[in-house]
């Protein structure tokens, strides 16, 4: 990336560019008429871009699906009303805002490929046909809201035909190779009525074992995900095989434990086959005989089955990004986002995923109404040290400085001075009601009993219990502000170490007040993005290479106004 010298910062303002692709044509506007090279060609920007309101803010938690919005009033060289009447509405046109700097002689300092991209979005809410304006005049907002397909996560993974049904599970072309030959007639599986119509579940992670509240060593098997009866052999043998569907996809486990609704259990081998649309599903085989350890749902239709994924090297859905099971929190986010059709900033994801490998998630999805973003917002993002926002290159993660500060390097350093001037005092936007210094994390949800089998507590006053811990943040916050407690339930966490890390993250995030400050910066600092981490030096307020995160960015008409969150406390910096 090309950055200007200090003399250029002070003497030359930026020229903002708007590239708007509408139909088969790209219209180019700018705050100053100029040409810019792109390879061997010269691209012309003819001006006509007035001052616009550029004011972006970082959403700290979860997913900012609405994104940001930048308003414009533009006079196009075409009749807007006629274009709409001809079936070429401007709604949904793609726009990019960028800027270039001029050198001392007034020449463009960058080429097209090295221009600094600020914002990318789609045209929304156009207003045109003004009685007192030219025919090409239109007002609109350029919105960065992600274009996300409304899709069922379950349908996207297991398919619309992923259900317990003879027509969906049967594959007549492969009937001779089927493991269900005992229950196939005329190429069609004789599917039992007891669970007919149930959707094949998605299973992620390794949700089989948990460290109980009373022990830090013993592992308790968890009946977590549902198992659905496909059918049982009609043979007169005293050792009849029953086939139980456990996932609507390939899985990593070679064996599982099957629990019935009365708590009886048995170990079963795992197999895979393909349904009518060649969709893969996984099943377990249980043999019934007079002393079988679990009850048959065909004898008693009230019997339910639940699966514990006890294979240490196994688990549910294989990761599409690395070897082994899909369980890394970052990979789960990327996997779910890939089902939405949205534009994704893969470079940003690849940079942050290694930081998230300690966060392991597991669980099942069998509700066809759950959408990918909805799943992430409710079950994954509240327990990860990132937020998700929409950048100019697509949906991207933003690391949480307060949690990951010691693990991430700053993007660059800045020394306060004439080109980066303090514009406000340090303030504390956090109220004491938002602080937390004692946190309980409920985890390891038993699907069979619908209750949590594990818990972790970080507290300023531990009582020597196996699941209670303390740290400096909890103690210091309690001394300053009194007891501030909160409880979180993590439905997709079964791993003890992940639960422990989440508890510590919550304390780290909320134990002490946040500190923010604003700086006014020269135009060339436009390359600084929302979420960037900088090492700030400002000797007047005793900041020496202090890590800060950009949480808002605004163009004032002559300079940038940045709001920074400061990582300033004695615990982390001593």
């Amino acid at each position: 990336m090309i950055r200007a010298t200090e003399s250029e910062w002070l003497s030359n303002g930026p020229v903002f560019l708007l590239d708007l692709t509408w139909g088969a044509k790209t219209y180019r506007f700018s705050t100053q008429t100029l040409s810019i090279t792109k390879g061997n060609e010269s691209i012309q920007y003819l001006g006509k871009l007035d001052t616009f309101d550029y004011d972006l803010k970082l959403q700290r938690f979860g997913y900012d699906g609405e994104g940001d919005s930048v308003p414009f009033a533009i006079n196009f060289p075409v009749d807007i009303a006629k274009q709409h009447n001809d079936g070429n509405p401007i709604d949904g046109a793609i726009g990019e805002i960028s800027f270039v700097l001029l050198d001392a002689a007034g020449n463009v300092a960058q080429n097209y490929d090295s221009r600094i991209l600020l914002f990318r979005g789609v045209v929304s809410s156009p207003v045109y046909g003004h009685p007192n304006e030219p025919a090409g005049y239109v007002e609109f907002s350029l919105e960065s809201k992600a274009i996300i397909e409304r899709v069922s996560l379950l349908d996207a993974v297991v398919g619309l035909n992923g259900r317990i049904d003879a027509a969906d599970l049967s594959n007549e072309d492969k009937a001779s190779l089927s493991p269900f030959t005992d229950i196939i007639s005329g190429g069609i599986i004789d599917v039992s009525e007891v669970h007919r119509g149930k959707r094949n579940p998605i299973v992620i992670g390794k949700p089989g074992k948990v460290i109980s509240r009373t022990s830090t060593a013993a592992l308790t098997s968890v009946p977590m995900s549902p198992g659905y009866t496909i059918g049982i052999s009609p043979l007169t043998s005293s050792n009849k095989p029953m086939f139980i569907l456990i996932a609507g996809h390939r899985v990593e486990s070679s064996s599982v434990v099957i629990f019935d609704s009365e708590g009886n259990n048995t170990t079963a081998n795992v197999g895979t086959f393909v349904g009518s649309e060649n969709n893969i599903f996984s099943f377990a085989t249980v043999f019934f005989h007079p002393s079988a350890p679990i009850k048959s749902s065909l004898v008693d239709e009230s019997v339910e089955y639940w699966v514990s994924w006890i294979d240490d090297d196994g688990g549910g859905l294989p990761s599409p990004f690395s070897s082994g099971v899909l369980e890394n929190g970052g990979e789960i986010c990327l996997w779910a986002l890939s089902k939405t059709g949205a534009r994704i900033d893969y470079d940003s994801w690849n940079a942050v995923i290694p930081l998230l490998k300690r966060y392991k998630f597991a669980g099942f999805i069998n509700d066809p109404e759950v959408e990918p973003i909805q799943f992430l917002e409710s079950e994954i993002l509240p327990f990860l040290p990132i937020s998700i926002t929409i950048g100019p290159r697509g949906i991207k993660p933003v690391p949480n400085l307060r949690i990951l500060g010691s693990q991430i390097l700053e993007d660059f350093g800045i020394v306060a001075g004439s080109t980066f001037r303090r514009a406000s005092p340090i303030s504390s936007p956090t109220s004491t009601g938002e602080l937390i210094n004692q946190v309980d994390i409920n985890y390891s949800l038993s699907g069979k009993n619908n209750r949590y089998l594990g818990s972790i507590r970080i507290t300023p006053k531990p009582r020597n219990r196996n699941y209670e811990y303390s740290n400096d943040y909890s103690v210091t916050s309690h001394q300053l502000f009194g007891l501030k407690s909160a409880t979180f339930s993590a439905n997709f966490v079964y791993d003890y170490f992940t639960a422990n890390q989440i508890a510590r993250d919550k304390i780290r995030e909320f134990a002490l007040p946040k500190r923010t400050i604003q700086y006014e910066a020269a135009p060339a600092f436009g390359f600084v993005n929302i979420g960037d981490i900088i090492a700030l030096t400002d000797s007047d307020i005793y900041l020496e290479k202090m890590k800060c995160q950009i949480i808002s960015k605004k163009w004032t008409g002559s300079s940038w106004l940045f709001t920074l969150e400061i990582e300033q406390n004695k615990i982390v910096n001593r």
Side-chain angles (χ1 to χ4, degrees):
M1 178 178 293
I2 295 177
R3 296 175 184 169
T5 65
E6 182 168 349
S7 63
E8 290 173 328
W9 294 345
L10 297 176
S11 61
N12 297 286
V15 178
F16 289 97
L17 313 175
L18 172 63
D19 293 61
L20 199 144
T21 302
W22 173 17
K25 185 173 181 179
T26 298
Y27 297 87
R28 305 185 193 277
F29 305 94
S30 56
T31 53
Q32 178 180 324
T33 301
L34 57 76
S35 62
I36 183 171
T37 59
K38 182 181 182 182
N40 295 324
E41 63 176 318
S42 179
I43 297 177
Q44 302 297 315
Y45 286 85
L46 303 178
K48 298 186 179 181
L49 181 61
D50 295 328
T51 302
F52 54 91
D53 184 15
Y54 183 92
D55 188 2
L56 309 185
K57 295 179 174 61
L58 174 66
Q59 176 173 296
R60 173 59 74 193
F61 304 106
Y63 167 69
D64 182 8
E66 293 302 314
D68 291 291
S69 177
V70 180
F72 286 95
I74 300 286
N75 188 17
F76 280 78
V78 295
D79 188 324
I80 303 296
K82 185 177 186 306
Q83 290 291 318
H84 278 242
N85 188 61
D86 291 344
N88 184 29
I90 195 172
D91 309 67
I94 303 297
E96 289 187 348
I97 307 171
S98 59
F99 78 88
V100 293
L101 293 168
L102 304 181
D103 62 21
N107 300 313
V108 178
Q110 295 112 312
N111 60 33
Y112 183 84
D113 292 329
S114 63
R115 76 196 194 286
I116 298 171
L117 186 61
L118 295 173
F119 190 83
R120 189 176 191 272
V122 297
V123 171
S124 178
S125 305
V127 178
Y128 58 94
H130 294 73
N132 299 317
E133 297 288 353
Y137 181 83
V138 59
E139 298 170 354
F140 60 87
S141 293
L142 199 60
E143 297 186 350
S144 65
K145 181 176 181 179
I147 304 174
I148 292 177
E149 298 176 8
R150 297 294 301 273
V151 62
S152 160
L153 185 54
L154 191 65
D155 290 347
V157 176
V158 309
L160 291 171
N161 64 320
R163 67 183 71 247
I164 303 295
D165 181 86
D168 292 332
L169 291 181
S170 301
N171 191 316
E172 297 179 68
D173 294 337
K174 295 180 172 63
S176 62
L177 304 174
S178 174
F180 310 115
T181 52
D182 288 349
I183 57 172
I184 285 181
S185 177
I188 303 299
I189 298 175
D190 182 17
V191 172
S192 166
E193 291 291 334
V194 65
H195 292 146
R196 186 184 296 275
K198 294 288 188 180
R199 293 301 304 271
N200 304 349
I202 302 170
V203 179
I204 60 176
K206 301 176 182 178
K209 298 178 181 178
V210 63
I211 297 177
S212 68
R213 286 187 174 94
T214 58
S215 171
T216 57
L219 294 174
T220 302
S221 294
V222 182
M224 188 278 300
S225 62
Y228 300 128
T229 302
I230 297 174
I232 191 169
S233 172
L235 301 177
T236 57
S237 167
S238 62
N239 199 26
K240 299 179 179 181
M242 172 183 272
F243 305 102
I244 299 174
L245 190 141
I246 59 174
H249 48 76
R250 191 185 303 279
V251 299
E252 288 288 312
S253 283
S254 59
S255 64
V256 294
V257 172
I258 302 293
F259 286 79
D260 65 24
S261 46
E262 295 183 5
N264 306 306
N265 68 84
T266 187
T267 301
N269 291 329
V270 172
T272 60
F273 203 59
V274 292
S276 60
E277 300 297 324
N278 289 317
N279 54 301
I280 296 174
F281 61 90
S282 298
F283 63 93
T285 305
V286 176
F287 291 91
F288 281 92
H289 47 78
S291 58
I294 65 173
K295 296 185 67 174
S296 170
S297 63
L298 302 184
V299 175
D300 181 355
E301 292 191 356
S302 68
V303 172
E304 296 178 342
Y305 296 119
W306 295 88
V307 185
S308 180
W309 300 75
I310 47 84
D311 187 344
D312 289 338
D313 296 323
L317 185 70
S319 172
F321 310 108
S322 60
S323 61
V325 67
L326 180 66
E327 61 178 351
N328 177 307
E331 290 189 351
I332 290 173
C333 289
L334 192 54
W335 164 76
L337 291 171
S338 70
K339 307 300 180 185
T340 67
R343 191 165 179 256
I344 297 172
D345 184 345
Y346 284 98
D347 288 342
S348 294
W349 280 104
N350 291 334
V352 80
I353 280 176
L355 298 175
L356 305 178
K357 62 184 179 180
R358 73 175 66 181
Y359 298 87
K360 298 179 180 180
F361 294 85
F364 73 93
I365 302 163
N366 65 347
D367 182 353
E369 300 300 317
V370 173
E371 298 179 10
I373 295 296
Q374 178 187 358
F375 165 67
L376 293 180
E377 285 189 295
S378 62
E379 307 295 356
I380 306 299
L381 287 174
F383 308 106
L384 283 179
I386 62 169
S387 54
I388 296 179
T389 189
I390 305 168
R393 292 175 177 81
I395 297 178
K396 69 173 188 176
V398 177
N400 187 317
L401 175 63
R402 289 169 70 87
I403 297 174
L404 292 174
S406 62
Q407 301 176 55
I408 52 180
L409 298 175
E410 62 271 13
D411 295 294
F412 40 82
I414 294 178
V415 178
S418 60
T419 60
F420 199 86
R421 299 182 294 270
R422 191 166 6 108
S424 78
I426 298 174
S427 62
S428 302
T430 309
S431 70
T432 57
E434 299 174 82
L435 300 178
I436 299 172
N437 49 46
Q438 177 173 292
V439 66
D440 288 274
I441 303 295
N442 296 322
Y443 73 104
S444 190
L445 178 64
S446 168
K448 184 174 77 70
N449 301 316
N450 196 32
R451 64 185 179 90
Y452 298 97
L453 303 181
S455 65
I456 293 287
R457 173 178 290 171
I458 305 295
T459 176
K461 296 183 177 181
R463 296 165 294 177
N464 199 30
R465 297 181 178 178
N466 289 329
Y467 61 92
E468 287 190 341
Y469 305 90
S470 189
N471 62 23
D472 287 346
Y473 290 105
S474 176
V475 172
T476 301
S477 175
H478 178 254
Q479 291 171 344
L480 293 172
F481 307 106
L483 187 64
K484 306 286 184 180
S485 61
T487 299
F488 300 89
S489 295
N491 297 329
F492 273 69
V493 174
Y494 289 78
D495 177 62
Y496 168 83
F497 299 102
T498 297
N500 194 305
Q501 185 63 53
I502 291 170
R504 295 178 184 279
D505 287 352
K506 294 297 183 185
I507 293 294
R508 178 67 187 87
E509 171 74 9
F510 296 109
L512 298 172
K514 297 177 181 178
R515 310 294 188 199
T516 62
I517 190 171
Q518 289 186 323
Y519 279 81
E520 184 180 15
F525 279 96
F527 69 83
V528 178
N529 291 318
I530 295 290
D532 279 355
I533 308 296
I534 68 172
L536 176 65
T537 296
D538 189 337
S539 57
D540 289 344
I541 52 175
Y542 306 99
L543 300 183
E544 178 67 28
K545 295 182 179 179
M546 189 70 66
K547 283 184 180 178
C548 305
Q549 188 162 35
I550 307 297
I551 61 173
S552 79
K553 176 181 180 180
K554 180 178 182 179
W555 176 247
T556 67
S558 59
S559 61
W560 296 103
L561 185 65
F562 294 107
T563 302
L564 285 63
E565 185 175 311
I566 306 174
E567 182 56 271
Q568 184 184 35
N569 67 70
K570 292 183 179 180
I571 297 173
V572 76
N573 292 310
R574 65 189 176 191

